[in-house]
Amino acid sequence: MSDIKFYFAPMEGVTGYTLRNVHHACYPGVDAYFTPFIAPNQYHAVNPKEHRDVVQANNAGVPVIPQVLTNKAELFLWSARELKEKYGYNEVNLNLGCPSKTVVSKHKGSGFLEDTEKLDRFFDEVFSAVEAASSQSEPGSAENIYPRISVKTRLGLDSVEEFVEILRVYNKYPLSELIIHARVQKEFYKGEPHLDAFGDAVKETKHSLCYNGDIWTLEDYIRIRELFPSVKKIMIGRPLMANPELVQELQAYEECMESGREWNGYENSMVLLKKFHDKLLQGYLDRMNGDGNNVLFKMKELWGFMSRQFPEKERLIKKMVKANKIEEYERLAEQVF
Ligand SMILES: Cc1cc2nc3c(=O)[nH]c(=O)nc-3n(C[C@H](O)[C@H](O)[C@H](O)COP(=O)(O)O)c2cc1C
């Protein structure tokens, strides 16, 4: 086994518990699945949808790390305790990356990166409380009321230069790890990740770093590994939805390199991909009590990512995702595979 850890990135509306369970069953090997964010509110209640997504009964045997989106220390501390005590999680991740306008306008997600003094005060309050509760035990341990706290961040809002100050704040606090999506807010998901700025972060950080952004192929992965050999954690989102077998390929490559064998490439299994697809369809049918429209919506979303594996089937896929009956969808999906 290589010492590289692979994480499935959180994706709101996409990587809910059904997807995570099916992925883990078909393609074991991902070290942690981060949940789409939970947004705690003043009423201190986890809403029913969020509850279903994080409750252990729906995540049995799957390594999951829940993510929280807030800019209020008190709400973050409450959710961290709740997720540890009631839901049994030893690590909670703070979302400082979401670029969506509605989130940013409330100064949350990457919007919180705008004001580093406020960010500093937030962490000061959070870690003062955690420290006060940690004289006898480490956060994340059975005796402690708090889990470990990690952060997923972007490099800034408008420019990567902002990250110098942001990182200075992160370096003051005992984060369990720092995941960097190497883009700024205004880029959303477009353009190339800023590898130079990530490289600066590698030099300046006091934290255990995880790289995230546009690892679509083995070649992309090798480039990141060669540029940043000290980084041992890799998070992948959209590319893993496009090719659910990608982490297995990267792991096979790592194992091959370690054993000194020659790399002869990797063949994805279409049989396994069909199994993944069929299990996911069934998972959504079970969860949504056969509500065809909603299930078709979820499958359409999947094909938004996966269709790039089938360039020659473009027309058939277009027809399939327009299907308005499950039976028709299934018939066309058979043809695609
Ligand atoms: C539809 C969608 C939803 C996302 N939701 C979240 C989220 O809830 N929390 C988060 O931290 N990042 C979220 N992200 C960002 C991803 O986790 C990831 O950082 C981004 O896609 C870049 O990685 P990739 O190139 O491997 O996809 C989302 C991205 C997409 C495309």
Side-chain angles (χ1 to χ4, degrees):
M1 283 290 277
S2 84
D3 60 347
I4 308 296
K5 281 201 156 51
F6 291 96
Y7 296 153
F8 207 134
M11 292 170 68
E12 233 289 273
V14 181
T15 61
Y17 71 91
T18 307
L19 183 283
R20 299 195 301 266
N21 275 281
V22 172
H23 186 270
H24 185 65
C26 295
Y27 302 102
V30 167
D31 293 281
Y33 293 77
F34 286 65
T35 71
F37 63 79
I38 286 176
N41 58 34
Q42 73 215 62
Y43 307 112
H44 287 188
V46 174
N47 76 36
K49 181 168 173 262
E50 294 171 345
H51 170 80
R52 283 195 296 277
D53 200 45
V54 293
V55 69
Q56 290 294 342
N58 286 338
N59 291 283
V62 184
V64 169
I65 297 177
Q67 186 186 62
V68 172
L69 176 94
T70 183
N71 58 8
K72 299 211 164 43
E74 182 264 320
L75 287 183
F76 183 77
L77 287 164
W78 172 78
S79 10
R81 282 195 308 270
E82 187 86 350
L83 286 162
K84 171 97 171 42
E85 289 190 339
K86 287 213 184 125
Y87 292 91
Y89 290 102
N90 294 329
E91 180 177 330
V92 167
N93 181 261
L94 173 68
N95 178 327
L96 291 174
C98 183
S100 104
K101 293 256 159 65
T102 41
V103 166
V104 171
S105 65
K106 293 182 200 142
H107 309 286
K108 295 181 192 171
S110 59
F112 202 2
L113 303 176
E114 187 181 39
D115 185 344
T116 47
E117 277 176 29
K118 205 169 155 211
L119 190 65
D120 198 352
R121 283 199 300 278
F122 169 92
F123 280 122
D124 186 52
E125 201 179 326
V126 165
F127 283 102
S128 300
V130 173
E131 210 178 291
S134 305
S135 58
Q136 309 285 332
S137 60
E138 290 288 309
S141 66
E143 301 75 33
N144 200 299
I145 57 168
Y146 286 107
R148 294 185 298 279
I149 294 166
S150 61
V151 162
K152 178 166 180 280
T153 186
R154 288 202 178 218
L155 293 168
L157 278 134
D158 293 317
S159 136
V160 295
E161 268 107 67
E162 295 163 36
F163 202 62
V164 175
E165 197 51 32
I166 295 166
L167 187 58
R168 196 188 58 74
V169 174
Y170 295 153
N171 275 344
K172 288 172 70 178
Y173 300 97
L175 309 178
S176 61
E177 62 186 7
L178 180 61
I179 302 162
I180 300 180
H181 175 195
R183 285 193 171 87
V184 294
Q185 182 272 335
K186 74 169 183 195
E187 294 165 326
F188 285 83
Y189 299 98
K190 297 208 182 78
E192 296 280 308
H194 299 280
L195 299 185
D196 289 354
F198 184 82
D200 293 340
V202 171
K203 284 188 213 119
E204 299 300 327
T205 188
K206 292 200 173 130
H207 297 299
S208 171
L209 276 196
C210 171
Y211 174 84
N212 170 234
D214 286 53
I215 298 191
W216 293 93
T217 60
L218 175 63
E219 289 67 38
D220 296 334
Y221 172 76
I222 292 174
R223 185 157 76 116
I224 296 299
R225 290 281 293 124
E226 284 177 357
L227 282 171
F228 313 115
S230 65
V231 174
K232 305 286 186 195
K233 288 182 273 193
I234 301 287
M235 176 178 266
I236 308 179
R238 296 162 303 165
L240 205 40
M241 289 299 299
N243 172 12
E245 201 170 345
L246 181 59
V247 163
Q248 301 212 321
E249 176 178 355
L250 307 182
Q251 283 169 334
Y253 172 80
E254 284 292 348
E255 277 160 30
C256 184
M257 291 301 108
E258 255 172 42
S259 64
R261 279 178 285 128
E262 192 190 340
W263 176 248
N264 291 320
Y266 187 91
E267 190 96 17
N268 279 350
S269 162
M270 211 30 94
V271 174
L272 198 51
L273 188 64
K274 181 163 188 319
K275 188 174 152 204
F276 169 77
H277 168 275
D278 293 354
K279 270 174 97 76
L280 194 59
L281 176 63
Q282 192 56 51
Y284 286 136
L285 281 168
D286 293 347
R287 187 177 115 193
M288 295 168 177
N289 295 323
D291 173 354
N293 283 344
N294 261 331
V295 174
L296 287 174
F297 177 82
K298 297 302 287 179
M299 297 315 284
K300 184 173 173 173
E301 188 181 66
L302 172 75
W303 284 102
F305 295 102
M306 227 162 70
S307 56
R308 48 160 73 216
Q309 278 208 58
F310 299 86
E312 73 291 359
K313 301 271 171 71
E314 203 185 320
R315 285 177 64 190
L316 189 56
I317 291 175
K318 270 203 180 126
K319 200 169 151 197
M320 178 180 64
V321 298
K322 280 196 188 132
N324 44 35
K325 289 243 165 11
I326 293 284
E327 297 71 30
E328 188 192 357
Y329 169 85
E330 281 184 297
R331 189 175 53 76
L332 292 165
E334 286 292 327
Q335 283 182 38
V336 172
F337 282 106

